[in-house]
Amino acid sequence: MRKINTCTIEHSKITVDGNLIFETESNTFQEFAKEAYKNLALSYPKFHKMDSLSKLAFLSAEMLLKEEDHSRTALVFANRSSSLDTDFKYQESINSQENYFPSPAVFVYTLPNICVGEISIKHKMQTENAFFVLDEFDEKFLNDYAEQILQSGKADKVLCGWVELFQENYKAFVYLLTL
């Protein structure tokens, strides 16, 4: 297998293949994500409704996938915190309501695999996708899983990555693999 491209997002910076693509002085992830979306001229209205983990995964994927045909690209992502950041927000929406009316808009994002779903929908992907919760980034594990998908013929490429976000700590490292 070979890596085609890589993207890293952390500390209010986006780099692709080691080249700085975008940087801002944002204080929060939400500010950073909004500025990056606007500055990079992305066009996907559902972005503004996504939770932070989905925005992080989406931004990193967009840097590598662009507007090309990715119907035969699979997704294999992982992180440590699952959807804990959104889970806390959902719990807050329950606690803040007098009559227990939690927010369905937040509930949608209480599973970590929703972020790969958002990417799949945007790029009309019709292949495998998986989201693993691991103690730490394990590139060998992700690559072995991706290699099985590629060798099975179910996909031509695999977008692999680590997308960790909890409160204001975030890092995405994604890369595109092919045989």
Side-chain angles (χ1 to χ4, degrees), residues 3-7 16-17 63-64 159 174-177:
K3 274 185 194 170
I4 300 172
N5 300 102
T6 64
C7 174
V16 175
D17 299 327
M63 297 300 96
L64 302 184
L159 183 67
V174 299
Y175 51 97
L176 200 54
L177 293 175

Side-chain angles (χ1 to χ4, degrees), residues 71-106:
S71 59
R72 294 208 19 94
T73 300
L75 296 167
V76 179
F77 280 26
N79 77 4
R80 175 181 304 134
S81 299
S82 185
S83 59
L84 193 56
D85 187 70
T86 302
D87 296 346
F88 276 125
K89 289 180 174 108
Y90 182 67
Q91 185 63 47
E92 287 173 2
S93 81
I94 292 171
N95 295 343
S96 70
Q97 304 295 328
E98 290 180 15
N99 297 322
Y100 182 78
F101 292 111
S103 171
V106 176

Side-chain angles (χ1 to χ4, degrees), residues 6 13 29 40 46 54 59 66 70 96 98 110 124 135 140 149 153 178:
T6 64
K13 294 179 187 173
F29 175 77
L40 298 166
K46 287 175 57 176
S54 295
L59 286 170
K66 309 281 187 212
H70 285 284
S96 70
E98 290 180 15
T110 57
K124 298 175 178 66
D135 285 334
K140 180 179 178 348
I149 294 170
T178 189

Side-chain angles (χ1 to χ4, degrees), residues 7 46 49 69 131 139 164:
C7 174
K46 287 175 57 176
K49 294 181 180 183
D69 177 14
F131 195 108
E139 188 169 3
E164 172 64 19

Side-chain angles (χ1 to χ4, degrees), residues 38-51:
K38 184 178 178 182
N39 183 276
L40 298 166
L42 300 175
S43 179
Y44 192 64
K46 287 175 57 176
F47 178 83
H48 303 291
K49 294 181 180 183
M50 292 180 193
D51 73 321

